[in-house]
Amino acid sequence: MESTILKRRDIDFLLYEWLNVESLTGRARYADHSRETFNAAIDSAEQIATDLFATHNKKSDAQEPHFDGERVTIIPEVKTALDAFCAAGFMAAGQDYEYEGMQLPYVVDRAIAAYFTAANVATSAYTFLTMGNANTLLKTATPRQVERFVRPQLAGRFFGTMCLSEPQAGSSLSDITTRAEPDPVDGPEGERQYRLRGNKMWISAGEHELSENIVHLVLAKIPGPDGKLIPGVKGISLFIVPKYLVDEDGSIGERNDIALAGLNHKMGNRGTTNCLLNFGEGRFKPEGRAGAIGYLVGEPHKGLANMFHMMNEARIGVGLGATVLGATGYLHALDYARNRPQGRHPAEKDPAKPQVAIIEHTDVRRMLLAQKAYTEGALALIMYCARLVDEQRTGDSPEAQARAGMLLDFLTPIAKSWPSQWCTEANSLAIQVHGGYGYTREYNVEQFYRDNRLNPIHEGTHGIHGLDLLGRKVSIQQGALFKAVSEEVTGTIVKARAADAADLHAYAGQLEALWTRIGQVTQTLYGAGDMNKTLANASLYLEAVGHVVIAWMWLEQAIVAAKKGDDDFYRGKLQACRYFFNWELPKSAQQLDLLETIDTTTLDMQDAWF
Amino acid sequence: MESTILKRRDIDFLLYEWLNVESLTGRARYADHSRETFNAAIDSAEQIATDLFATHNKKSDAQEPHFDGERVTIIPEVKTALDAFCAAGFMAAGQDYEYEGMQLPYVVDRAIAAYFTAANVATSAYTFLTMGNANTLLKTATPRQVERFVRPQLAGRFFGTMCLSEPQAGSSLSDITTRAEPDPVDGPEGERQYRLRGNKMWISAGEHELSENIVHLVLAKIPGPDGKLIPGVKGISLFIVPKYLVDEDGSIGERNDIALAGLNHKMGNRGTTNCLLNFGEGRFKPEGRAGAIGYLVGEPHKGLANMFHMMNEARIGVGLGATVLGATGYLHALDYARNRPQGRHPAEKDPAKPQVAIIEHTDVRRMLLAQKAYTEGALALIMYCARLVDEQRTGDSPEAQARAGMLLDFLTPIAKSWPSQWCTEANSLAIQVHGGYGYTREYNVEQFYRDNRLNPIHEGTHGIHGLDLLGRKVSIQQGALFKAVSEEVTGTIVKARAADAADLHAYAGQLEALWTRIGQVTQTLYGAGDMNKTLANASLYLEAVGHVVIAWMWLEQAIVAAKKGDDDFYRGKLQACRYFFNWELPKSAQQLDLLETIDTTTLDMQDAWF
C-alpha cells in the first residue's frame, strides 16, 4: 500500500521539478549538499514519521495529557518519538554547522517538517516550538544566552515555548499585564535578570517532562519610573524564563517560580499540552524568593519586534500543518475510495452486478479532486514561501534578498490562513468520502478534521490576518510588496502563454483578469475615505486574494506538468489545475464584486438587532 | 441572561407572524386548540429541555455510552430526561386523541422538537426515532401490531429504531443481504411471523436500557422459491423485530435473537448509542430456536416504500437538528461576543482606553450575522416544510393536500442538506467568535460543531440528495413539482414588489433572475444527452438551488418584517436578509454559471491521476 502520510512524488515534484532546489547547492552555505543528501534527510524523516509518529497519533488523541495537580502525564510513545527526532539531528536540520546543524535549506527542512506534521501534528508541535524559540534567540540573544538556552534546545535536551497571550489579552497583545521588575542581584546575567509576575494563557507545550528543561520566551512589561505599566505595545519586552534555572556549568538547577494552573482540553491537537501558566505567584522560591526569574532578551521595550520573527515562522508553520493534515486526509480518503465497493454506475440497471469501488462515482471523484486541488495547491504555496526564506537568507544580492523578504511578507497571511480554511474543508470532504465510517474514531479522518480546526484560530485569527493583508501588507512601502508579487504573477502569466497548451493560455487570461481586479478593488477600498469602511470586509478580501494566489500556484505547477508529457502524475496535476480554475477561482470574482461595492452590511449591523 | 438554547421570539415570529399557524385551529382536527394551547406545549418543552436536556449535554458527550460485552451503560441523566419527555406526553404530541395524543399540528410539534434537539441532540434522538417508527407503523401495520408495538411507543414504554444499512450496503440498500424466512408456527401473527438473519450497521439507539423494549424496524429480503435473495430493491420487505417478544397481555416476554456486536465511537452525537446488531446468529433462542423473530409489516416486497415514509420524516428531522445546533451555537457566540472585552476600534489610537466587547468589531459582527442568516433562514425552511405537512394532512381540498405534498417532496432534499452544510458552517463560525476558548471542551460550541458534522452523512449523504433533486424531483410528473415551487416563489416575488420597501423590490428582482436561471440550467443539463453528464455535478446543483430557496425564505421573512415597523427584532430580520442577498446569493449565480457549461472536470478525472 502507498503511504497515506504524504505523497513523496508530489514533494519531489515541488522541490526538484518546480522550485529547482538543487540549484541551491551552488551557494556557499549549501555547497556540501546535493540532491542525494536532501533526499537522505527526507527519507530519514519519512521513516521516523512512519514508524514512531503516525503510530501513536490516535493513541495520544484518545489518551490526552493528564494533570494530577502536581505532574503532567503524557503517553510514553511521545517521548520515544521525540527522542528519535532529536537523535536524528532534526531539531537543528536548518542550523549552521557550528551549532551541530545539518545546514539544510529551509525548503528541505520544511519537507522534513511536512512528514512529521502529517504523521502526528500534536507530537510535532513540541519540535516546532523549540526550533522557533531557538531561531528567535539566535537573532537577538547574548552569546551567553545562546550557550545556556539555544544549544541545549538545538540538541533536543531543552524544549521551548512562546508565551504571549493572557486571559484578558488574546489577540490584543498591547493589553498584557505580566510585569517584569529588575532583580537587583549581581548574577552572571547582570542587569538582564528580572522577576516576572503574571498569567499566560494558551501556552502550547507549556508543561511536560519530555525534555530536561523548558525555555519559555515570555512577553512582559517593565514598569516605568512611576511603577505603572506602559499602555500599548511599546512597553513590551522579551524574556527567557526557564522552567529550571541553569547552573553555570550548564546543568539543571533549581525550579523557577512557574506553576501550571491547568491544562486546556481541546477538540483536537490533544497530544500537545496547552495550558495556563502562573509566573511568580510564589509556588517556588528560586534564589530564595518568589518571582519567576527571567533574562531580558535584546533591548527593553522591543519585545514584540523580536518575537515577531518567531511568529512569522510559526505562521508559515501553521499553514504547513493545516496543509499536510489536509493532504494526509486526502490520501486516506483516496485509499478508502479505491477499496470500498458501494453502488453502481448510473447507467447500470442490473442490481445483480457487483458493486463498484466508490471512486467510480463522479461525486466521490469531485470530493477527491477538490481535496487534491486544495492540498497540493496549499503545499505549493508553503514550499514557495520556504524557498523564499532561502532566497532571503542566501540570495545572490542584497536586492534579491530584500525582494524575497517583500514577497514573503505579503504572502505570509495567505500562507497561514488559506490552508487553515481550505485544508480543513478538505478534511471535511475526507470524512464525507468515508460516509458513516469517517465520522467514527475507529477511522483516522475525523481526528484530522478536529486537529485542523485549530489552525484558523492560533497564531493570529483569520480576521487578524485579513486586517494584516488589507490594512498593512498591500499598502506599506507605497505598495511595493503588492507590486513585487504582481511582477511574479505576471511572470507566470507570460510563461503560461508561451506554453504549448491551449488550456494554460485560457487560465493565464483568467488569472490576469483577476489579479488586475484585485489591484482595482484595493484602490477602491482605500478610496472609501474611512478606514472603518476600507477594512470592514478585510476577511473577505483575504479569502478572495487567497484563492487567486492559489490559482497562481496551480498555474505554475501546470506549466511544469504540461512540459512533461503524458504521464498519470502530470495528467493529475493538469486536471487539478483545471478543477481549480473552473470550480474555485470564480468564487474570487464574486467576492471581488462584493468588495468593490464597499458593502456596509456588517458594519451597519447593530448589537440590538441580533 | 437570555436563553442560549433557542430564541423564542424567532419561533413566535415564524409560527404566528409568518406561517399563520393560529389559522389551523379553524380545522376540525385542531379545533380544540388555540394559540394558548400551542404556547403552553412549547413552554413546557422549553422548560424540560432547559432543566433536563441541556444540563447533561456535555456530560453525555464526555461520558459516552459504554458496552462491557453484556450491557450498555448510559449516564442516568439521559433516562431522567427521557422519562420527563414521555411523562409530559411529547412522544405523542402530534398523534390522535385515540392514541392518547395531543393532536397538535406538525409545525407546533416541530417547534417543540426544536427545543429538545437544540438542548441535547443526542438524547433527543431516542425520541425522534421512536416517533418516526410509530408513524411508519401507523401507516401500514395491522391493528394487532399497532396495539402491541405502536401504543407502547407512543406512551414512551418502548423505544424504536430503523435498521436499514448493512456493513456492505450503506447508501446502496439494494445490496442488503439480511434474510427473512417464514417461521412455520401457528402464532398470533400467523403467516406474518418470520425468522431474520443478518447484520445491521449504523443503528442509532440500537441498544440501551432506557425503555422496557426496543422495536426495531428492519429491512430484509424474503428469499424466492429457489432460496436465493432477489437482487435490487424489489426484494425488500419491512419487519418489526422487537428486542424482547411481547406476550399476549402486552407484557415483556423472552429475549429475541438480536445481539449487540459493538458500539461505534463517533466524533459527536456521542450520547446516542450507534451500533452493529447481529440478527439471528443464535445468541438467544426465542421460542426455542435460533433466528430473530420478526413480523412482516404491510405487503411483502414493499418494504422500501413503507420505510420511506419514516425516512422523509427523518430527513426533515435531520434538517431540523442541523438547524437548531447552528442556532444554539449562534446564541452562545452572541452571548460570548457581548461579554468578552478584547481590542479597540480601528480609529482608537489610545491603548490606555479600556478594551471593547468583541461584538464591536466588524469582523465579529460579520460572523454573527452569517450565523443568524444561516440558522434563521434554515429554521424558516424547516418550519415552512412542517407547515406543508399540516397542509398535506388537513388541507381544505384533496388538491391543496396534493399540492402541499409536491412542494414537500421537492423541498425535502434541500431541507435535509442545506442546514447540514451551512449550519455546520455556522457552528464553525461560533468557534471562531470564541477564539481559543471555542476550541476547548470547557466551552460548548466545539461539541455543536462535532455533533453537526454527522448531518451531511446520515439519512442520505449530500451526494445522494443531489441525485434525488436533480435526477428525480425536478423531472418527475413532467416537472410538476418544480412548477409548483416556482409558483410559490413567484407569489413571494409579487408580494415583495408590492411592499413599501425599495430594498425588497431589488431582492425580488435578484430572486426572480436566479429562479429563472435554475429553470434554464435544469433544461440545459437535461439536454446533455447523457445522464452521466446531466448528473455529474448534482451536488453543486443541490447547493445552488439550496441557496436560492433560502433566499426565498429570507424574502418571505423580510416582507413580514418590513410591515412591522421600526423594532430591533424586525431590523435584525431585514439586515440578515440584506446579508443573505448581498453576501450569499451571488454564490448561486457562480454555481449556476458552472453548471450551465455541463462541466466534465470531475467526470473526466481518472483514478490513476490522483
Side-chain angles (χ1 to χ4, degrees):
Chain A
M1 199 181 87
E2 281 187 64
S3 167
T4 50
I5 297 177
L6 282 179
K7 186 167 174 174
R8 182 63 175 269
R9 180 71 187 85
D10 194 43
I11 305 273
D12 288 344
F13 171 80
L14 296 174
L15 294 182
Y16 303 123
E17 298 179 56
W18 176 43
L19 293 173
N20 199 13
V21 167
E22 270 181 280
S23 71
L24 289 172
T25 61
R27 294 183 181 169
R29 180 173 175 83
Y30 308 120
D32 294 345
H33 281 291
S34 63
R35 182 161 170 169
E36 287 65 38
T37 63
F38 295 161
N39 282 345
I42 299 171
D43 288 346
S44 167
E46 181 170 3
Q47 194 70 50
I48 297 172
T50 304
D51 294 347
L52 296 173
F53 279 68
T55 41
H56 73 277
N57 193 44
K58 279 187 89 67
K59 186 174 174 185
S60 66
D61 178 70
Q63 300 177 30
E64 67 189 324
H66 172 70
F67 177 50
D68 63 8
E70 284 296 321
R71 292 178 60 178
V72 171
T73 309
I74 296 175
I75 60 164
E77 290 87 344
V78 176
K79 184 162 168 52
T80 303
L82 291 169
D83 287 351
F85 178 95
C86 297
F90 287 125
M91 203 69 101
Q95 301 293 347
D96 299 356
Y97 297 137
E98 72 163 299
Y99 295 114
E100 316 294 331
M102 297 187 199
Q103 220 159 292
L104 282 168
Y106 191 68
V107 66
V108 176
D109 185 45
R110 292 299 86 190
I112 291 167
Y115 269 101
F116 289 107
T117 313
N120 192 321
V121 67
T123 296
S124 304
Y126 295 98
T127 73
F128 302 136
L129 287 160
T130 302
M131 293 191 281
N133 182 308
N135 284 336
T136 304
L137 289 177
L138 283 171
K139 291 264 173 202
T140 45
T142 64
R144 188 172 189 288
Q145 290 170 339
V146 168
E147 279 307 306
R148 291 172 91 196
F149 299 108
V150 177
R151 283 191 182 273
Q153 288 198 76
L154 295 179
R157 286 179 50 220
F158 296 1
F159 286 176
T161 76
M162 51 199 291
C163 301
L164 287 76
S165 298
E166 300 180 4
Q168 82 294 348
S171 294
S172 180
L173 286 174
S174 69
D175 291 292
I176 64 167
T177 58
T178 296
R179 295 172 74 92
E181 299 187 80
D183 195 16
V185 293
D186 189 19
E189 286 273 339
E191 290 185 354
R192 290 196 172 272
Q193 182 162 327
Y194 283 74
R195 293 278 180 164
L196 279 77
R197 288 178 179 81
N199 309 312
K200 289 289 178 181
M201 186 63 172
W202 307 121
I203 310 309
S204 286
E207 179 54 24
H208 56 75
E209 297 181 357
L210 301 166
S211 56
E212 294 174 39
N213 201 355
I214 302 174
V215 180
H216 301 290
L217 276 185
V218 181
L219 293 183
K221 289 186 173 182
I222 303 168
D226 60 355
K228 288 189 183 153
L229 299 182
I230 300 164
V233 296
K234 288 195 301 281
I236 299 176
S237 303
L238 178 64
F239 298 86
I240 294 168
V241 189
K243 176 178 171 186
Y244 295 100
L245 303 185
V246 178
D247 290 338
E248 278 313 288
D249 63 357
S251 63
I252 299 299
E254 66 179 323
R255 180 86 186 242
N256 203 354
D257 189 10
I258 307 168
L260 175 60
L263 296 179
N264 297 309
H265 297 93
K266 290 166 292 175
M267 174 164 66
N269 272 273
R270 295 187 179 191
T272 311
T273 55
N274 182 281
C275 49
L276 176 60
L277 292 177
N278 293 341
F279 288 81
E281 64 171 16
R283 174 85 182 276
F284 303 94
K285 298 207 163 42
E287 299 183 4
R289 64 189 188 86
I293 292 176
Y295 311 113
L296 179 67
V297 179
E299 289 177 57
H301 310 311
K302 306 277 188 199
L304 207 58
N306 291 336
M307 189 61 115
F308 258 105
H309 179 76
M310 182 169 182
M311 284 166 72
N312 275 331
E313 194 178 312
R315 282 165 177 181
I316 294 175
V318 167
L320 173 70
T323 298
V324 298
L325 277 170
T328 190
Y330 160 55
L331 295 179
H332 280 78
L334 182 58
D335 183 59
Y336 183 84
R338 284 176 167 155
N339 292 294
R340 166 75 176 172
Q342 191 79 172
R344 288 163 192 81
H345 291 287
E348 177 58 69
K349 302 292 178 202
D350 181 1
K353 287 278 171 68
Q355 302 193 76
V356 299
I358 61 171
I359 198 168
E360 300 279 320
H361 301 310
T362 310
D363 195 53
V364 172
R365 286 210 296 278
R366 170 186 69 84
M367 293 190 280
L368 292 169
L369 193 50
Q371 289 172 68
K372 180 178 170 73
Y374 297 155
T375 60
E376 294 183 7
L379 191 60
L381 176 61
I382 297 295
M383 287 298 164
Y384 183 84
C385 288
R387 182 72 178 74
L388 287 173
V389 171
D390 286 316
E391 208 57 28
Q392 193 181 23
R393 288 178 185 170
T394 67
D396 293 329
S397 65
E399 293 73 29
Q401 294 179 11
R403 183 181 174 82
M406 288 198 295
L407 296 171
L408 202 52
D409 276 351
F410 186 92
L411 294 174
T412 296
I414 298 162
K416 191 274 177 185
S417 299
W418 197 91
S420 297
Q421 181 172 7
W422 291 99
C423 296
T424 303
E425 178 60 25
N427 286 141
S428 179
L429 291 170
I431 292 175
Q432 196 69 19
V433 168
H434 282 74
Y437 295 98
Y439 193 67
T440 66
R441 277 128 61 207
E442 279 76 14
Y443 283 70
N444 295 289
V445 287
E446 65 85 30
Q447 184 184 345
F448 302 145
Y449 177 69
R450 285 187 288 109
D451 286 351
N452 221 344
R453 186 59 189 80
L454 174 62
N455 289 318
I457 299 172
H458 67 163
E459 302 306 334
T461 62
H462 199 71
I464 296 279
H465 287 286
L467 293 172
D468 182 41
L469 183 67
L470 179 57
R472 269 179 35 81
K473 296 296 174 64
V474 295
S475 61
I476 52 171
Q477 300 178 41
Q478 291 81 47
L481 278 57
F482 182 73
K483 187 162 166 285
V485 178
S486 299
E487 287 164 4
E488 296 298 320
V489 172
T490 302
T492 304
I493 291 166
V494 169
K495 279 190 291 179
R497 288 198 165 128
D500 186 18
D503 280 6
L504 270 56
H505 304 173
Y507 301 153
Q510 273 181 269
L511 179 61
E512 186 174 49
L514 278 169
W515 194 265
T516 306
R517 199 78 209 291
I518 290 172
Q520 291 161 347
V521 168
T522 308
Q523 286 203 321
T524 301
L525 288 169
Y526 269 88
D530 172 354
M531 278 310 275
N532 285 318
K533 284 189 181 172
T534 301
L535 297 177
N537 305 324
S539 291
L540 189 72
Y541 182 88
L542 174 70
E543 294 178 13
V545 177
H547 249 54
V548 180
V549 165
I550 297 295
W552 166 37
M553 292 292 115
W554 268 114
L555 190 52
E556 276 282 321
Q557 295 182 79
I559 291 166
V560 177
K563 278 190 207 140
K564 296 284 182 168
D566 196 18
D567 165 284
D568 283 339
F569 177 81
Y570 301 117
R571 297 283 289 266
K573 282 287 179 195
L574 289 168
Q575 195 70 1
C577 181
R578 178 180 164 195
Y579 172 84
F580 203 88
F581 275 82
N582 283 4
W583 285 65
E584 295 294 330
L585 198 54
K587 294 176 184 172
S588 283
Q590 176 246 315
Q591 291 168 323
L592 290 166
D593 286 348
L594 179 60
L595 285 161
E596 194 160 45
T597 66
I598 315 180
D599 180 86
T600 58
T601 307
T602 59
L603 196 62
D604 297 342
M605 183 68 186
Q606 303 294 312
D607 182 340
W609 299 353
F610 281 108
Chain B
M1 200 181 87
E2 280 186 63
S3 169
T4 52
I5 297 178
L6 282 180
K7 187 169 173 174
R8 181 65 176 267
R9 180 70 187 84
D10 194 41
I11 304 272
D12 289 344
F13 171 79
L14 296 175
L15 295 182
Y16 304 123
E17 297 180 55
W18 176 43
L19 294 174
N20 199 13
V21 167
E22 270 180 281
S23 71
L24 290 172
T25 59
R27 295 184 181 167
R29 181 174 176 81
Y30 308 121
D32 293 346
H33 280 292
S34 63
R35 182 163 171 166
E36 286 65 37
T37 63
F38 296 160
N39 282 345
I42 301 171
D43 287 347
S44 168
E46 180 170 1
Q47 192 72 48
I48 297 172
T50 304
D51 293 347
L52 295 174
F53 279 67
T55 40
H56 73 276
N57 193 44
K58 279 187 89 68
K59 186 175 176 188
S60 66
D61 178 70
Q63 299 176 30
E64 66 188 325
H66 172 69
F67 177 50
D68 62 8
E70 286 294 321
R71 293 178 57 177
V72 172
T73 310
I74 296 176
I75 59 165
E77 289 86 345
V78 176
K79 184 161 168 55
T80 304
L82 291 170
D83 286 350
F85 177 95
C86 297
F90 287 124
M91 204 68 99
Q95 302 292 348
D96 298 357
Y97 296 137
E98 71 163 300
Y99 296 115
E100 315 296 331
M102 297 185 198
Q103 220 160 291
L104 281 168
Y106 192 67
V107 66
V108 176
D109 185 44
R110 293 298 87 188
I112 290 167
Y115 268 100
F116 288 108
T117 314
N120 190 322
V121 67
T123 296
S124 304
Y126 296 96
T127 71
F128 302 137
L129 288 160
T130 302
M131 293 191 279
N133 183 307
N135 284 335
T136 303
L137 290 177
L138 284 172
K139 292 264 172 201
T140 45
T142 64
R144 188 171 189 287
Q145 290 170 341
V146 168
E147 279 307 306
R148 290 172 91 199
F149 299 108
V150 177
R151 282 192 183 272
Q153 288 197 75
L154 295 178
R157 285 179 51 219
F158 296 0
F159 285 176
T161 76
M162 52 200 289
C163 301
L164 288 75
S165 298
E166 300 180 4
Q168 82 294 349
S171 294
S172 180
L173 286 175
S174 69
D175 293 292
I176 64 168
T177 59
T178 295
R179 296 172 74 92
E181 299 187 82
D183 197 15
V185 293
D186 189 21
E189 287 273 338
E191 290 185 356
R192 290 196 172 272
Q193 182 162 327
Y194 284 74
R195 291 278 180 164
L196 279 76
R197 287 177 180 82
N199 309 311
K200 290 290 178 180
M201 186 63 173
W202 306 124
I203 311 309
S204 285
E207 180 53 25
H208 55 75
E209 299 181 356
L210 301 166
S211 55
E212 293 174 39
N213 201 354
I214 302 175
V215 180
H216 300 290
L217 277 185
V218 181
L219 293 183
K221 289 186 174 181
I222 303 169
D226 60 355
K228 288 189 183 156
L229 299 182
I230 301 165
V233 295
K234 289 195 299 281
I236 299 175
S237 303
L238 179 63
F239 298 86
I240 294 169
V241 189
K243 176 179 173 184
Y244 295 100
L245 302 185
V246 178
D247 291 338
E248 280 311 289
D249 63 356
S251 64
I252 298 298
E254 66 179 323
R255 180 84 185 243
N256 203 352
D257 190 9
I258 307 166
L260 176 60
L263 296 178
N264 296 309
H265 297 95
K266 291 165 291 174
M267 175 164 67
N269 271 272
R270 295 188 179 190
T272 312
T273 55
N274 182 279
C275 48
L276 177 60
L277 292 178
N278 293 340
F279 288 81
E281 63 169 16
R283 175 84 183 275
F284 303 95
K285 299 206 162 42
E287 299 183 3
R289 62 187 190 89
I293 291 176
Y295 311 113
L296 179 69
V297 178
E299 290 177 54
H301 311 310
K302 304 277 189 201
L304 207 58
N306 290 335
M307 190 62 117
F308 258 106
H309 178 77
M310 182 169 182
M311 284 166 72
N312 276 331
E313 194 178 309
R315 283 166 176 179
I316 295 175
V318 167
L320 173 71
T323 298
V324 298
L325 276 169
T328 190
Y330 160 56
L331 295 179
H332 280 78
L334 182 59
D335 183 59
Y336 184 84
R338 283 175 168 156
N339 290 296
R340 167 73 177 174
Q342 191 78 172
R344 288 163 192 81
H345 291 288
E348 177 59 69
K349 302 294 179 200
D350 182 1
K353 287 279 171 65
Q355 301 192 77
V356 300
I358 61 170
I359 199 168
E360 301 279 321
H361 300 309
T362 309
D363 195 52
V364 172
R365 285 209 298 275
R366 169 184 69 84
M367 294 190 278
L368 293 170
L369 193 50
Q371 290 173 68
K372 180 178 169 74
Y374 297 154
T375 60
E376 294 182 8
L379 191 59
L381 176 61
I382 298 295
M383 288 297 163
Y384 182 83
C385 286
R387 182 71 178 73
L388 287 174
V389 172
D390 286 315
E391 209 57 27
Q392 194 181 19
R393 290 178 182 169
T394 66
D396 293 328
S397 65
E399 293 72 28
Q401 293 179 10
R403 183 182 173 81
M406 290 198 295
L407 296 172
L408 201 52
D409 276 350
F410 187 92
L411 294 173
T412 296
I414 298 163
K416 190 275 177 185
S417 299
W418 198 91
S420 296
Q421 180 173 9
W422 291 99
C423 296
T424 303
E425 177 60 26
N427 286 140
S428 179
L429 291 170
I431 291 175
Q432 197 68 20
V433 168
H434 282 75
Y437 294 98
Y439 193 67
T440 67
R441 279 127 61 207
E442 280 75 16
Y443 283 70
N444 294 289
V445 285
E446 65 86 31
Q447 183 184 344
F448 302 146
Y449 178 68
R450 285 186 290 110
D451 287 350
N452 220 343
R453 185 60 188 79
L454 174 61
N455 289 318
I457 298 172
H458 69 161
E459 304 305 337
T461 62
H462 199 70
I464 296 280
H465 287 287
L467 293 173
D468 182 42
L469 183 67
L470 180 57
R472 271 178 35 83
K473 297 296 175 62
V474 295
S475 60
I476 51 171
Q477 300 179 39
Q478 291 83 46
L481 279 57
F482 183 74
K483 185 162 168 286
V485 177
S486 298
E487 287 164 6
E488 297 299 318
V489 172
T490 302
T492 305
I493 291 166
V494 169
K495 278 191 291 179
R497 286 198 166 125
D500 185 19
D503 280 5
L504 269 56
H505 304 172
Y507 300 152
Q510 273 181 268
L511 179 60
E512 186 173 51
L514 278 168
W515 194 264
T516 306
R517 202 71 212 294
I518 289 172
Q520 292 161 347
V521 167
T522 307
Q523 286 204 322
T524 301
L525 288 169
Y526 269 87
D530 171 355
M531 277 311 274
N532 286 317
K533 283 189 183 173
T534 301
L535 297 178
N537 303 324
S539 291
L540 190 71
Y541 182 88
L542 174 70
E543 293 178 14
V545 177
H547 249 54
V548 180
V549 165
I550 298 295
W552 166 35
M553 292 293 114
W554 269 113
L555 189 52
E556 277 282 322
Q557 294 183 78
I559 290 165
V560 177
K563 278 190 205 141
K564 296 285 183 166
D566 196 18
D567 165 285
D568 283 338
F569 177 80
Y570 301 116
R571 297 284 289 264
K573 282 287 179 196
L574 290 167
Q575 194 70 2
C577 181
R578 179 180 164 194
Y579 172 84
F580 203 88
F581 275 81
N582 283 4
W583 284 65
E584 295 294 331
L585 196 54
K587 293 176 185 173
S588 282
Q590 176 246 314
Q591 291 169 325
L592 290 166
D593 286 348
L594 179 60
L595 285 161
E596 195 160 46
T597 66
I598 316 184
D599 181 85
T600 58
T601 307
T602 58
L603 196 62
D604 297 341
M605 184 68 184
Q606 302 295 313
D607 181 341
W609 300 354
F610 282 109

